[in-house]
Amino acid sequence: MGLYICAGFIMGELIESASFAVMVFFLIWPLYTFAIRKKKEKLWMILPVFTMLPAYLFMILSPATVSGKIDEHINLRTGFLKACDKYLFSFRLLIIAGALMIVFLAVFQIASVRMTEALIWGCLSFGMNCMYSVASYYPGRSMLGSAVFLIIATGLLMAGIFDNGFILLNKERPYLNRKAAVENMKPDNRMTAANDLADCFTKQNKQNRQVRRSDYYSSLISLLAAVYVCAFVVYQASILMVIGTKDIYHSWEQMRSNETYIRREVSKGNLDVTIDTIQTSTYYSAAKGIMYVDTSSAESWPNQDMAKYYGAAHIIGNNV
C-alpha cells in the first residue's frame, strides 16, 4: 500500500494533462462505482490523490512550466478551438467508430454498464486535450494520454458489442427461452379464464417473437462485427509490425552511419562536419517528426550539442 500511495507522487508530476486526468479519474471512479454500480470501494484506493496533488502543483507552478509552456496572452476561445480541431482530426477514426457503436447499442437497446464507463473515459480524454487550450505549443507526443483514454473508451464499447455477439455461442440462448410466455402471464379479471389464457398466449407469443427476432439480429451483427474486428486487428498488426520494424532498423542504420562518419572526420582533424538527415517512413521510428539535425544553422541547439559531444567545431545537416 505504501508503494501504491508513493506512486501517486510520480504520476502527479509526469505530464501536465495526463496527471490531471488521472487525478480526476481517481475521484470520479469510486463515486461512480458506489453511486451507480452499487459496489463498495475501499477508501485507501483513492489515497494516491493526496500525493498526486502536491506533485502536480509543484510541476504546474514551476517557473519553467509557467514561462515556457503556458501562453499568458493566448485567447482562450481560439486556443480551445485549436485544441478541439487537433483532437477531432487526430482521432477522427476512433471517434467515428465510437459513435457508431453507441448508436448500435442504443438502437438495439443493449443496456450495458460499459457504455457509461466508456463515456467517462471519453470525457476524460477530451478534457485532457482541452487543457492545451492555454499551452504555448501542442506537439503530437502530448496527445498520448488523450489517445490512451480514448482507446480505453472505444475498447469498452467494443466489449459491450462482443458480449452481445457471443450470446449466439451460448448453448442456453436466453433470447429463445419460451418459458417467459408462461411466467409473464397475468390473468385479467374482465375476461373469462379461457379467453384470458388464449389472449395472453397470443399477445405474449407475438411480443416474444419480436423480441427474440430483434435479439437474434443484434447478436448476429455483434458476432460478425467481433469476428471482423479481431481479424482486422491481427491482419493490421502483422503488416505494421513488419513495416515498423524495418523502418526502425533503417533509422538506426542511418544514425550509426552518421556517428561513424563524424568520428572518422574528427579523428582526421576535420572539425566542420556535414551529415545527412534521417529519412523515416512511419511513426514507429523515434526519429519521425523530430529535429535530428538542423540543416539551416550549425548554431541551433541539436547541432551544437552534437558537435560538443563528438568533439567537432560545427555540425550541420544535409537534406537527402
Side-chain angles (χ1 to χ4, degrees), residues 44-162:
W44 64 265
M45 296 181 67
I46 65 171
L47 290 179
V49 173
F50 296 99
T51 53
M52 285 184 200
L53 183 59
Y56 182 76
L57 293 176
F58 175 77
M59 173 183 60
I60 203 70
L61 298 177
S62 64
T65 301
V66 175
S67 62
K69 296 184 178 181
I70 299 178
D71 189 351
E72 298 178 353
H73 305 289
I74 194 172
N75 184 292
L76 290 179
R77 181 176 178 275
T78 303
F80 175 75
L81 293 177
K82 286 183 178 180
C84 291
D85 182 67
K86 189 177 182 69
Y87 183 86
L88 294 175
F89 178 78
S90 301
F91 303 131
R92 59 190 182 280
L93 295 180
L94 276 176
I95 294 173
I96 293 173
L100 291 176
M101 286 188 283
I102 290 176
V103 170
F104 177 83
L105 293 171
V107 168
F108 287 100
Q109 298 179 352
I110 303 173
S112 175
V113 176
R114 288 196 174 99
M115 183 183 293
T116 305
E117 296 173 353
L119 291 175
I120 292 176
W121 284 102
C123 291
L124 288 174
S125 172
F126 183 72
M128 192 186 311
N129 172 81
C130 291
M131 289 190 66
Y132 287 95
S133 300
V134 296
S136 57
Y137 62 97
Y138 192 1
R141 66 179 182 275
S142 298
M143 304 189 76
L144 174 62
S146 296
V148 171
F149 278 36
L150 191 58
I151 290 172
I152 293 174
T154 52
L156 288 169
L157 292 173
M158 193 177 298
I161 293 178
F162 283 12

Side-chain angles (χ1 to χ4, degrees), residues 104-281:
F104 177 83
L105 293 171
V107 168
F108 287 100
Q109 298 179 352
I110 303 173
S112 175
V113 176
R114 288 196 174 99
M115 183 183 293
T116 305
E117 296 173 353
L119 291 175
I120 292 176
W121 284 102
C123 291
L124 288 174
S125 172
F126 183 72
M128 192 186 311
N129 172 81
C130 291
M131 289 190 66
Y132 287 95
S133 300
V134 296
S136 57
Y137 62 97
Y138 192 1
R141 66 179 182 275
S142 298
M143 304 189 76
L144 174 62
S146 296
V148 171
F149 278 36
L150 191 58
I151 290 172
I152 293 174
T154 52
L156 288 169
L157 292 173
M158 193 177 298
I161 293 178
F162 283 12
D163 289 345
N164 186 61
F166 291 141
I167 292 177
L168 282 177
L169 304 180
N170 187 353
K171 294 181 179 180
E172 296 180 358
R173 297 190 179 185
Y175 54 84
L176 295 179
N177 188 358
R178 298 177 180 275
K179 292 182 180 180
V182 177
E183 294 175 356
N184 294 332
M185 280 195 308
K186 294 181 179 180
D188 190 340
N189 296 329
R190 294 174 300 176
M191 303 174 62
T192 62
N195 291 337
D196 179 36
L197 184 62
D199 185 65
C200 285
F201 265 116
T202 302
K203 291 181 178 180
Q204 190 66 50
N205 285 338
K206 288 181 179 180
Q207 183 179 1
N208 286 344
R209 282 197 299 271
Q210 293 175 354
V211 171
R212 288 197 299 271
R213 189 180 297 113
S214 174
D215 290 345
Y216 175 79
Y217 288 149
S218 68
S219 297
L220 179 61
I221 295 173
S222 299
L223 183 61
L224 293 176
V227 173
Y228 172 77
V229 169
C230 292
F232 180 77
V233 169
V234 172
Y235 173 74
Q236 284 291 98
S238 302
I239 294 178
L240 293 177
M241 182 177 65
V242 175
I243 296 175
T245 303
K246 286 183 177 180
D247 193 37
I248 293 171
Y249 179 75
H250 181 59
S251 302
W252 175 75
E253 276 192 323
Q254 295 176 75
M255 292 182 182
R256 185 179 63 173
S257 176
N258 282 342
E259 290 179 356
T260 303
Y261 176 75
I262 294 172
R263 294 183 188 277
R264 185 170 62 246
E265 291 299 306
V266 171
S267 65
K268 292 179 181 179
N270 300 327
L271 301 183
D272 294 330
V273 184
T274 301
I275 60 175
D276 294 333
T277 56
I278 301 299
Q279 302 299 312
T280 61
S281 57

